[in-house]
């Protein structure tokens, strides 16, 4: 299969929806979720990971991890992306979700949110399992998301070698990277059942092409097929191919910084214009003194949060590719000239990726939005109880239930998610009270004061959107 990366236009396809064994192409999803977990504050690049026995026991290709050994998360990422190490991939899943099964559920939820209709994941590494299947189209979709959703990490796939903590590891795709002009990633895969698979991307000038091959008979055969497909892509005229169907994806919410305290904000409807009053005639000295009431502040804050995420409130983006629909836009920040000017988390991402401050990552196509469906419910038994802030919850009329819509790395992030969710589902969450609960791993965003039926309906509606949700029963 061949697509234009920016537009998603299909240039060539053959048996693109046939379900086959993806082998280590699976690790693209494992790494995608890992990058998303870092972005959300679930884990950091420097988190020390204790290697479980089942990960250490995985067959080659492997890094050689030992049971109980501790290693930084960044080295597991490098080993999985560059060497395609099965033990590293398994350890990534365990570190994020606690088990292979739980991580596989998160992989499948993310795949569904991306529109990968022919994919079911069973493990993190891609070793053969009868129910672990995908297609060339789905893996192309995943590769495109990897390139545009996490440009700060994409360079991992172009490294010929990398320091994986224990040893220096070589890239399984280095022959192709060295042989094809403009090639810069992304992932190989091989098992006896799958054959030789490859999702590859190359850029020449301002045009990027992605090609995917399943079932090659050898590394050389696979690479030759991919080169022919990429040549076909670059030889085509942009805009001549029919655009592929764009899956309906859910926009991920940027994390906010910590706030000074909790606030209850009652949103009664969608705000469609700024609440700022028109300036009155006369000089500034003649202007009346305005008194802000508590309710006015709350309404203004709710409006500001909504307007801040609206395309009309941002500066105009760069010209988008033809035939795309913009679901969300975020105003570009002022140029950063030094890493010290960045927030710590941002500086860490740039340092890991080897991007200098003046380097601008490749812009994501405007119709392509990062999925937020990859956060799986956290097992309550793994949470540590700590003091929590509770917003008034009514216990009358059987309204003893609630729902959880995610755990976030700051109170501000959790509060913003609650407001946006209330705006998206005003009917299902009518009368619910927002509640931010601080726990050892972050801040839980909950809606409380619901009946059993209302909580079930709200979760089903949110999950249908691809959002994370699980019910909270009476305590």
């Amino acid at each position: 299969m061949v697509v234009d990366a920016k537009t998603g236009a299909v240039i060539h396809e053959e048996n693109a929806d046939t379900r086959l064994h993806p082998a280590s192409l699976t690790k693209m999803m494992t790494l995608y979720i890992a990058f998303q977990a870092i972005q959300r504050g679930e884990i950091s690049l420097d988190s020390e990971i204790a290697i479980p026995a089942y990960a250490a026991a995985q067959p080659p290709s492997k890094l050689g991890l030992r049971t109980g050994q501790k290693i930084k998360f960044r080295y597991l990422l490098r080993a999985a992306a560059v060497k395609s190490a099965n033990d590293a991939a398994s350890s990534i899943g365990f570190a994020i979700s606690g088990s292979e099964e739980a991580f596989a559920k998160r992989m499948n939820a993310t795949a569904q949110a991306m529109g990968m209709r022919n994919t079911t994941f069973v493990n993190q590494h891609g070793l053969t399992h009868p129910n672990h299947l995908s297609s060339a189209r789905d893996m192309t979709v995943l590769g495109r998301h990897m390139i545009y959703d996490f440009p700060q990490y994409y360079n991992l796939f172009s490294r010929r070698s990398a320091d994986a903590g224990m040893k220096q590891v070589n890239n399984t795709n280095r022959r192709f990277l060295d042989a094809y002009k403009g090639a810069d990633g992304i992932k190989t895969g091989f098992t006896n059942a799958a054959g030789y698979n490859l999702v590859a991307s190359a850029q020449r000038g301002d045009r990027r092409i992605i090609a995917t091959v399943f079932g090659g008979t050898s590394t050389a055969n696979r690479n030759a097929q991919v080169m022919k497909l990429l040549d076909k892509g670059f030889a085509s005229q942009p805009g001549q191919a029919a655009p592929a169907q764009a899956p309906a994806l859910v926009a991920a919410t940027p994390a906010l910084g910590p706030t000074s305290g909790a606030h209850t904000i009652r949103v009664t409807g969608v705000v469609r214009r700024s609440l700022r009053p028109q300036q009155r005639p006369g000089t500034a000295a003649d202007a009346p003194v305005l008194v802000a009431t508590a309710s006015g502040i709350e309404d203004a804050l709710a409006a500001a949060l909504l307007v801040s995420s609206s395309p009309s409130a941002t500066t105009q983006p760069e010209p988008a590719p033809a035939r795309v629909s913009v679901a969300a836009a975020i105003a570009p920040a002022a140029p950063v000239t030094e890493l010290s000017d960045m927030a710590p988390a941002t500086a860490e991402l740039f340092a890991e990726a080897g991007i200098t401050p003046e380097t601008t990552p490749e812009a994501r196509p405007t119709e392509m939005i990062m999925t937020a469906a990859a956060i799986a419910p956290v097992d309550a038994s793994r949470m540590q109880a700590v003091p929590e802030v509770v917003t008034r919850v009514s216990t009358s009329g059987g309204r003893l239930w609630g729902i959880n819509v995610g755990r976030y790395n700051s109170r501000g992030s959790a509060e913003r998610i609650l407001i946006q969710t209330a705006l998206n589902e005003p009917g299902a969450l009518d009368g619910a009270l927002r509640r931010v609960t601080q726990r050892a791993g972050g801040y839980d965003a909950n809606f409380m004061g619901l009946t059993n039926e209302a909580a079930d309906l709200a979760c089903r509606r949110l999950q249908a959107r691809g959002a994370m949700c699980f019910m909270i029963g009476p305590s």
Side-chain angles (χ1 to χ4, degrees):
M1 184 169 188
V2 189
V3 302
D4 184 296
K6 284 188 177 180
T7 66
V10 177
I11 298 168
H12 172 80
E13 62 178 290
E14 183 177 349
N15 300 322
D17 295 309
T18 302
R19 300 189 78 205
L20 300 166
H21 296 289
S24 285
L25 300 186
T26 301
K27 294 185 179 79
M28 288 193 294
M29 180 60 82
T30 300
L31 290 161
Y32 184 96
I33 293 174
F35 300 152
Q36 194 171 61
I38 294 170
Q39 182 185 65
R40 290 177 171 273
E42 299 172 62
I43 199 166
S44 78
L45 290 168
D46 290 319
S47 295
E48 291 280 344
I49 308 303
I51 305 303
Y54 88 92
Q58 295 301 324
S61 173
K62 60 192 301 181
L63 184 59
L65 298 168
R66 302 180 303 278
T67 302
Q69 172 187 353
K70 290 189 176 181
I71 187 171
K72 287 186 177 181
F73 194 61
R74 69 173 69 242
Y75 296 134
L76 297 177
L77 299 179
R78 294 174 186 175
V82 177
K83 183 177 173 58
S84 198
N86 295 323
D87 52 355
S90 294
S91 298
I92 289 170
F94 178 84
I96 294 172
S97 297
S99 71
E100 183 175 64
E101 294 75 15
F103 193 76
K105 289 181 180 179
R106 183 163 175 172
M107 295 170 77
N108 287 319
T110 307
Q112 287 299 307
M114 287 184 182
M116 297 170 63
R117 307 304 181 201
N118 297 308
T119 297
T120 51
F121 291 114
V122 176
N123 57 55
Q124 301 97 313
H125 39 64
L127 293 174
T128 304
H129 186 286
N131 297 325
H132 190 96
L133 299 168
S134 188
S135 66
R137 187 185 310 280
D138 283 1
M139 284 294 148
T140 302
V141 168
L142 176 56
R144 186 170 175 239
H145 270 278
M146 183 68 79
I147 292 168
Y148 290 111
D149 289 356
F150 295 105
Q152 69 270 39
Y153 292 115
Y154 178 64
N155 79 91
L156 276 174
F157 300 99
S158 66
R159 298 183 187 182
R160 271 53 172 186
S161 64
D163 176 12
M166 297 170 56
K167 64 176 80 170
Q168 196 79 6
V169 294
N170 293 323
N171 196 321
T172 58
N173 198 30
R174 58 189 181 279
R175 292 182 185 176
F176 177 80
L177 293 172
D178 290 338
Y180 193 80
K181 180 183 177 182
D184 56 10
I186 63 174
K187 192 70 191 72
T188 63
F190 169 77
T191 62
N192 289 329
Y196 293 82
N197 300 344
L198 176 60
V199 176
S201 180
Q203 182 165 4
R204 294 178 181 175
D206 62 354
R207 195 169 190 209
R208 178 179 290 279
I209 301 294
I210 302 173
T212 300
V213 164
F214 272 59
T217 57
S218 67
T219 300
N221 168 265
R222 174 196 67 196
N223 289 353
Q225 290 187 55
V226 170
M227 289 179 188
K228 288 181 181 178
L229 292 175
L230 289 172
D231 285 344
K232 182 187 291 286
F234 284 116
S236 68
Q237 293 299 317
Q240 283 188 344
Q245 290 292 330
L249 303 179
V250 181
T253 304
L256 297 178
T259 60
S260 58
H263 302 279
T264 301
I265 302 173
R266 176 69 66 185
V267 180
T268 58
V270 178
V271 180
R272 303 196 178 278
R273 62 186 180 85
S274 170
L275 299 182
R276 182 184 300 277
Q278 294 292 326
Q279 184 174 359
R280 299 182 65 179
T283 64
D286 297 329
V289 177
L290 301 180
V291 179
T293 64
S295 60
I297 293 173
E298 291 178 352
D299 289 344
L301 178 56
L305 286 171
L306 180 65
V307 173
S308 70
S309 63
S310 170
S312 63
T314 65
T315 58
Q316 292 296 319
E318 294 180 4
R323 300 177 66 84
V324 298
S325 59
V326 180
I330 299 173
V336 177
T337 56
E338 298 290 343
L339 283 176
S340 59
D341 295 334
M342 300 178 178
T346 305
E348 180 183 33
L349 297 181
F350 275 68
E352 166 63 16
I355 299 175
T356 56
E358 64 272 14
T359 300
T360 302
E362 187 171 352
R364 182 188 303 111
T366 51
E367 56 84 21
M368 187 176 184
I369 304 165
M370 288 167 41
T371 175
I375 299 298
V378 180
D379 186 349
S381 65
R382 301 179 66 205
M383 299 179 180
Q384 299 180 20
V386 297
E388 60 186 25
V389 178
V390 180
T391 303
R392 300 174 302 279
V393 178
S394 171
T395 57
S396 61
R399 300 171 71 89
L400 304 174
W401 291 74
I403 63 171
N404 175 277
V405 292
R407 176 173 290 181
Y408 302 90
N409 63 345
S410 72
R411 183 179 298 279
S413 297
E415 290 175 344
R416 178 166 181 161
I417 284 292
L418 289 173
I419 290 178
Q420 290 186 334
T421 304
L423 291 172
N424 289 333
E425 291 293 346
L429 295 172
D430 182 39
L433 296 175
R434 287 174 290 283
R435 174 185 184 182
V436 175
T437 302
Q438 183 177 359
R439 298 192 181 277
Y443 294 84
D444 284 1
N446 301 329
F447 286 95
M448 301 302 296
L450 296 168
T451 64
N452 187 351
E453 295 77 11
D456 178 67
L457 173 63
C459 261
R460 285 189 285 110
R461 288 178 65 89
L462 289 170
Q463 289 167 352
R465 290 174 172 267
M468 175 269 171
C469 180
F470 67 90
M471 292 173 62
I472 304 172
S475 56

